[in-house]
């Protein structure tokens, strides 16, 4: 069986996604027999787990009266891949989350639909206020939302009080979280490879952390705790504090982010186990079991 980006993508998709794409390609808006037929051939091959298909055989099915043309074959694959990517992005955008609400807000703004925009702005603010997920991306998006609110208030009445202070505060919080997040990545990488990183404003960041109520910002609390653990790897109190926070704060993060947070501690356990501290093997195993039970280590349902 030939291997290319298109087929590699299809292999990774769920049966439901394949069925959704088939329905999408059958819509009148596509109007391309070759693309629809190519997808049908590849879909049937996936379902039956056949391996004898080659690009020449598929091309001959698509164009029985023509000899194989590699340029035409590549173009057709590229066109189908682009349509599938567009569909997959569209499917992600209909999932209700913070990004969905911001995308819809931006759409109404671009279309100059004032009443729609105002209603969506209210819905977006309420959604953010109720959101359980409050990770790094959430705080980045909240900066954008505060800016939108500021522009909206300014357009209503120029002499009214604006949310400028909230925007300034949220910008600081988002920056601090991102800075600590990437500092953790740098320290974790540095512990394995002999490489030094210029941490930039990290000293200033550390001095500002105490100005914030960490109970109010779970992501800031979590990444500051991770940073302290990685900065002082021999301090058992710092590690134990990290273990407590991974359990108490994990619900505020998307799966992909809490997975990386768990891996910071698991890799710490592996390094200390390799140094002869055998009890860290048990702790690392406990963390693996925790993360597996909560499905944090799975990607698309697979380990």
């Amino acid at each position: 069986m030939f291997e290319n980006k298109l087929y590699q993508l299809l292999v990774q998709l769920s049966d439901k996604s394949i069925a959704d794409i088939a329905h999408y390609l059958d819509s009148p808006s596509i109007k391309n027999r070759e693309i629809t037929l190519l997808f049908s051939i590849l879909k049937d091959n996936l379902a039956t787990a056949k391996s004898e298909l080659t690009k020449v055989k598929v091309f001959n099915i698509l164009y029985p009266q023509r000899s194989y043309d590699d340029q035409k074959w590549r173009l057709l694959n590229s066109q189908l891949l682009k349509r599938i990517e567009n569909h997959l992005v569209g499917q992600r955008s209909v999932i209700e989350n913070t990004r969905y609400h911001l995308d819809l807000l931006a759409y109404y703004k671009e279309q100059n639909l004032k009443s729609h925009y105002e209603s969506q702005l209210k819905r977006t603010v309420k959604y953010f206020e109720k959101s359980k997920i409050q990770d790094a991306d959430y705080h980045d998006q909240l900066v954008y939302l505060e800016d939108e609110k500021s522009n909206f208030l300014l357009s209503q009445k120029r002499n009214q009080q604006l949310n400028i202070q909230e925007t300034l505060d949220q910008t600081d919080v988002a920056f601090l979280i991102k800075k600590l997040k990437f500092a953790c990545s740098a320290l974790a990488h540095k512990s394995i490879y002999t490489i030094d990183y210029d941490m930039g404003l990290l000293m200033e960041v550390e001095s500002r952390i105490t100005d914030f109520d960490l109970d109010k910002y779970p992501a800031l609390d979590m990444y500051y705790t991770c940073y302290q653990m990685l900065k002082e790897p021999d301090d058992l109190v710092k590690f134990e504090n990290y273990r407590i926070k991974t359990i108490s704060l994990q619900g505020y993060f998307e799966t992909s982010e809490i997975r990386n947070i768990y891996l910071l501690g698991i890799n710490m356990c592996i390094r200390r186990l390799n140094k002869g501290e055998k009890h860290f093997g048990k702790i690392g195993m406990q963390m693996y079991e925790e993360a597996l039970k909560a499905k944090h280590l799975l990607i698309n349902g697979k380990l």
Side-chain angles (χ1 to χ4, degrees), residues 139 168-178 212 217 220:
H139 285 282
L168 287 168
D169 292 343
Q170 182 54 43
T171 303
D172 284 346
V173 171
F175 167 74
L176 292 172
I177 292 171
K178 273 291 178 63
F212 292 86
Y217 303 107
L220 186 57

Side-chain angles (χ1 to χ4, degrees), residues 15 44 72 97 109 135 149 194 199 217 237 256 274:
D15 291 342
D44 291 343
K72 177 67 175 176
N97 53 26
K109 186 177 184 178
D135 55 14
K149 286 165 62 179
T194 54
M199 294 297 194
Y217 303 107
V237 175
S256 59
N274 289 338

Side-chain angles (χ1 to χ4, degrees), residues 7 10 18-19 22 37-48:
Y7 194 78
L10 294 177
I18 293 292
L37 182 55
L38 173 58
F39 177 78
S40 179
I41 294 168
L42 299 179
K43 176 173 70 71
D44 291 343
N45 189 77
L46 287 171
T48 57

Side-chain angles (χ1 to χ4, degrees), residues 18-181:
I18 293 292
D20 289 342
I21 293 169
H23 179 73
Y24 162 69
L25 293 174
D26 281 338
S27 66
S29 61
I30 301 300
K31 297 178 182 178
N32 190 308
R33 170 195 166 276
E34 289 86 359
I35 285 178
T36 304
L37 182 55
L38 173 58
F39 177 78
S40 179
I41 294 168
L42 299 179
K43 176 173 70 71
D44 291 343
N45 189 77
L46 287 171
T48 57
K50 293 179 180 178
S51 60
E52 66 271 15
L53 274 184
T54 65
K55 55 187 181 181
V56 175
K57 287 182 179 180
V58 177
F59 190 90
N60 289 336
I61 296 173
L62 295 169
Y63 306 102
Q65 306 301 322
R66 294 177 59 173
S67 57
Y68 176 74
D69 182 334
D70 193 64
Q71 184 175 358
K72 177 67 175 176
W73 167 254
R74 291 176 181 273
L75 177 62
L76 193 62
N77 275 261
S78 177
Q79 290 173 337
L80 176 55
L81 177 60
K82 184 64 176 177
R83 281 171 169 77
I84 292 175
E85 287 174 338
N86 289 342
H87 174 72
L88 293 174
V89 171
Q91 287 295 98
R92 286 178 63 86
S93 71
V94 301
I95 299 173
E96 187 175 9
N97 53 26
T98 51
R99 194 173 298 278
Y100 163 84
H101 282 279
L102 291 178
D103 286 346
L104 192 54
L105 190 65
Y107 174 79
Y108 286 142
K109 186 177 184 178
E110 290 170 2
Q111 298 301 314
N112 199 27
L113 296 169
K114 185 178 179 181
S115 62
H116 291 71
Y117 176 83
E118 291 178 6
S119 297
Q120 180 58 29
L121 180 58
K122 292 177 182 178
R123 286 195 295 269
T124 304
V125 170
K126 287 182 179 179
Y127 189 88
F128 269 77
E129 289 173 349
K130 294 180 180 179
S131 177
K132 176 66 174 176
I133 301 298
Q134 296 183 26
D135 55 14
D137 284 343
Y138 167 88
H139 285 282
D140 278 346
Q141 293 162 17
L142 194 50
V143 173
Y144 175 87
L145 178 58
E146 290 293 348
D147 189 40
E148 282 295 311
K149 286 165 62 179
S150 180
N151 290 331
F152 174 74
L153 292 170
L154 192 61
S155 70
Q156 299 300 301
K157 193 176 181 181
R158 290 189 174 274
N159 62 349
Q160 71 172 313
Q161 186 174 353
L162 301 178
N163 63 325
I164 293 176
Q165 187 60 57
E166 290 86 348
T167 306
L168 287 168
D169 292 343
Q170 182 54 43
T171 303
D172 284 346
V173 171
F175 167 74
L176 292 172
I177 292 171
K178 273 291 178 63
K179 187 68 177 182
L180 287 169
K181 178 180 179 179

Side-chain angles (χ1 to χ4, degrees), residues 246 250-251 253-256 258-260 262 290-299:
T246 52
Q250 60 182 280
F253 297 88
E254 294 283 8
T255 300
S256 59
I258 194 62
R259 178 191 305 122
N260 291 332
Y262 259 93
E290 271 176 33
L292 284 170
K293 186 176 181 180
K295 299 183 179 180
H296 294 325
L297 300 183
L298 304 183
I299 300 177

